[in-house]
Amino acid sequence: MSREATAAGPVAARLSFLDRFLAVWILLAMGVGLGLGRLVPGLGDALAKVTVTGVSLPIALGLLVMMYPVLAKVRYDRLDTVTRDRRLLVPSLVLNWILGPAIMFALAWVFLPDLPEYRTGLIIVGLARCIAMVIIWNDLACGDREAAAVLVALNSVFQVLAFSALGWFYLSVLPGWLGLQSTGLNVSVWEIARSVLIFLGIPLAAGFLTRRLGEKAKGRAWYESKLIPRIGPFALYGLLFTIVLLFALQGDAITSKPLDVVRIALPLLVYFAVMWAGSMALGKAVGLDYPRATTLAFTAAGNNFELAIAVAIATFGASSGQALAGVVGPLIEVPVLIGLVYVALAARRFFPNSPESVGDSAACAEGAARV
């Protein structure tokens, strides 16, 4: 029996009730959100009235609570080892900013040639690269926390610089070259930058200051053994709260148009599978260890759905097909990436020469026990 397997039992026994059945709570949160959106008249409109960069304020607060504890766990003194790793950084940029948008564009046209609103919404999802919830999936799969922080920050910078240009290219220019129907996307660089600053900048700054001040006041041992266990569960509380609100926002639309949801879901399923598996294989091929290959895979497969939803709502309206496609994004992404956490943990056996994949068995067992 492997070291990870023997460690899993004791670790699982020490986990809280919430941690031990995380997948169940996520599915229940999705169900509760859909039920609330369907059964409570006007709930979606109420959630959408007070917004931050086009995203409901309660959802924005949930995202910030979700991200802060994970970013407080990051060892910022180790980030230089990540930034020097070109085997990680170069593939990540290629996967996120060349292959990812191109694959989503192709899948949107293959699966939704007759539904331009949903097709446009999917392309916008493909352009919005991960900066938020992917940190949770990476943590559960025992990915490299510091590498995830660097890649997410890198995606944020490129998002500000490239999102509008890529939207113009994939929605207006490329369809014209291919003789397909084109669509406009009017979103300013400032709108993208503001979204990034809110959803990444605030929790990143809070996490950095928490670690810096906590270690300075009480030392690293106290910070790791006392403070982190206290604030850590709030990531899961924020995750579940966010999922309930996201699915409540368009619960009525989702449940009243099941066939449309299925059609939107199919290209998303293919996208997540292709991007994750291809990225994981590429990571192994270029010699990355398990934690960094896992981080590469999740940061390439995940998407910034909050930005995609904000752009769709701001450009096309809250009740538009583009906005519905954006909301279906996390509807599919959440359960699929939870499933891929299982797959990632099982794939550790294919990285036998990775020191991190065998040297931190307790941490990996905790991740396995959580899912």
Side-chain angles (χ1 to χ4, degrees), residues 290-303:
Y290 169 79
R292 291 194 176 181
T294 298
T295 299
L296 179 68
F298 278 100
T299 52
N303 290 91

Side-chain angles (χ1 to χ4, degrees), residues 18 62 65-69 229-240:
L18 177 66
V65 171
M66 176 189 75
M67 293 177 64
Y68 162 67
R230 290 179 184 175
I231 65 176
F234 284 92
L236 302 183
Y237 302 150
L239 172 64
L240 296 176

Side-chain angles (χ1 to χ4, degrees), residues 18-213:
L18 177 66
D19 284 344
R20 201 175 304 174
F21 298 100
L22 176 60
V24 175
W25 307 139
I26 287 176
L27 292 174
L28 285 175
M30 293 165 60
V32 169
L34 289 172
L36 287 173
R38 181 71 176 178
L39 298 175
V40 180
L43 179 60
D45 292 337
L47 288 174
K49 279 185 178 179
V50 183
T51 63
V52 176
T53 67
V55 176
S56 163
L57 180 58
I59 292 176
L61 292 175
L63 289 167
L64 295 177
V65 171
M66 176 189 75
M67 293 177 64
Y68 162 67
V70 178
L71 290 170
K73 294 178 183 179
V74 170
R75 285 284 302 274
Y76 292 93
D77 56 326
R78 294 178 178 172
L79 295 184
D80 60 331
T81 65
V82 179
T83 56
R84 291 197 303 264
D85 191 349
R86 292 186 179 181
R87 294 177 304 170
L88 176 66
L89 296 181
V90 173
S92 178
L93 290 175
V94 171
L95 287 165
N96 274 288
W97 297 102
I98 297 177
L99 293 180
I103 289 173
M104 187 68 90
F105 173 86
L107 291 172
W109 273 99
V110 168
F111 283 89
L112 302 170
D114 57 328
L115 296 171
E117 289 191 358
Y118 297 153
R119 184 177 65 240
T120 298
L122 276 187
I123 293 172
I124 293 172
V125 170
L127 298 176
R129 311 312 300 170
C130 68
I131 68 166
M133 200 175 284
V134 70
I135 295 175
I136 297 287
W137 313 136
N138 178 74
D139 215 44
L140 291 173
C142 301
D144 187 314
R145 196 173 286 146
E146 287 70 39
V150 169
L151 295 185
V152 163
L154 198 62
N155 276 345
S156 300
V157 173
F158 272 81
Q159 205 141 246
V160 173
L161 298 175
F163 186 92
S164 297
L166 286 174
W168 169 74
F169 177 74
Y170 279 105
L171 293 175
S172 299
V173 177
L174 186 57
W177 289 353
L178 300 176
L180 304 172
Q181 180 183 0
S182 62
T183 306
L185 181 63
N186 183 22
V187 56
S188 71
V189 171
W190 167 238
E191 288 175 300
I192 308 302
R194 186 173 54 184
S195 177
V196 169
L197 287 172
I198 290 172
F199 294 117
L200 177 64
I202 292 175
L204 183 61
F208 174 79
L209 289 174
T210 300
R211 177 171 281 278
R212 183 73 178 269
L213 298 176

Side-chain angles (χ1 to χ4, degrees), residues 252-301:
D252 184 65
I254 291 172
T255 55
S256 63
K257 300 178 181 178
L259 293 180
D260 287 359
V261 171
V262 170
R263 289 200 61 182
I264 297 169
L266 287 175
L268 285 168
L269 285 170
V270 175
Y271 173 82
F272 292 133
V274 169
M275 287 297 293
W276 189 90
S279 302
M280 196 73 167
L282 177 61
K284 181 171 174 58
V286 300
L288 294 178
D289 56 30
Y290 169 79
R292 291 194 176 181
T294 298
T295 299
L296 179 68
F298 278 100
T299 52

